[in-house]
């Protein structure tokens, strides 16, 4: 049975971008992503599974101890879905929030767009 778009995006968030074990992360990337998939975030356009893996690895070194969490239910239709998330250290788990918008074809991510919410006025 094919996974829902919401589930694919959620697994990408939790198992790839929280996946500190390199082998498990790479296995999940190969399962969820088309080999020519494109990950687009404020840092640029990252094409192919090797670059997607490298972006996840870079986040671990830039933001040590930070973890992604699902912030609300996902939604999807016609192969496109979105999932709100939060990101932060254990003492401030919603330091950053945003939404991933994923495009799938044949049960694989072909593109994922990362939208980061503007900082709140504290």
């Amino acid at each position: 049975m094919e996974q829902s778009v919401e589930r694919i995006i959620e697994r990408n968030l939790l198992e790839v971008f929280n996946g500190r074990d390199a082998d498990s992360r790479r296995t999940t990337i190969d399962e969820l992503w088309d080999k020519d998939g494109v990950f687009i975030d404020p840092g640029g356009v990252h094409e192919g599974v090797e670059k997607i893996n490298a972006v996840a690895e870079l986040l671990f070194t830039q933001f040590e101890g930070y973890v992604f969490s699902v912030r609300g239910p996902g939604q999807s239709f016609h192969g496109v879905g979105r999932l709100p998330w939060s990101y932060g250290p254990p003492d401030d788990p919603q330091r950053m929030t945003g939404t991933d918008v994923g495009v799938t074809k044949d049960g694989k991510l072909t593109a994922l767009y990362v939208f980061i919410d503007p900082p709140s006025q504290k």
Side-chain angles (χ1 to χ4, degrees):
M1 182 171 151
E2 195 169 291
Q3 295 181 74
S4 68
V5 178
E6 301 100 297
R7 182 69 182 134
I8 292 169
I9 297 170
E10 181 177 333
R11 286 191 61 210
N12 181 70
L13 181 75
L14 300 177
E15 296 175 36
V16 173
F17 284 87
N18 278 345
R20 285 173 169 71
D21 179 80
D23 292 333
S24 294
R25 181 178 62 247
R26 184 51 203 255
T27 298
T28 304
I29 289 171
D30 289 341
E31 181 183 338
L32 299 179
W33 281 89
D34 179 90
K35 68 178 179 61
D36 297 318
V38 180
F39 178 83
I40 302 133
D41 69 357
V45 177
H46 315 279
E47 297 182 47
V49 293
E50 293 300 328
K51 289 189 179 171
I52 293 164
N53 188 44
V55 168
E57 186 70 34
L58 181 63
L59 284 176
F60 302 140
T61 58
Q62 286 182 326
F63 299 99
E64 190 173 329
Y66 279 43
V67 176
F68 282 100
S69 301
V70 174
R71 198 166 41 99
Q75 296 176 301
S76 70
F77 57 90
H78 308 291
V80 178
R82 67 181 181 167
L83 182 72
W85 50 261
S86 61
Y87 186 58
D91 62 337
D92 187 9
Q94 292 199 25
R95 181 166 294 174
M96 185 182 300
T97 60
T99 301
D100 285 351
V101 177
V103 179
T104 63
K105 183 177 181 184
D106 300 326
K108 298 259 189 174
L109 281 165
T110 57
L112 188 93
Y113 301 84
V114 177
F115 293 88
I116 298 174
D117 297 333
S120 61
Q121 303 298 323
K122 292 183 181 180

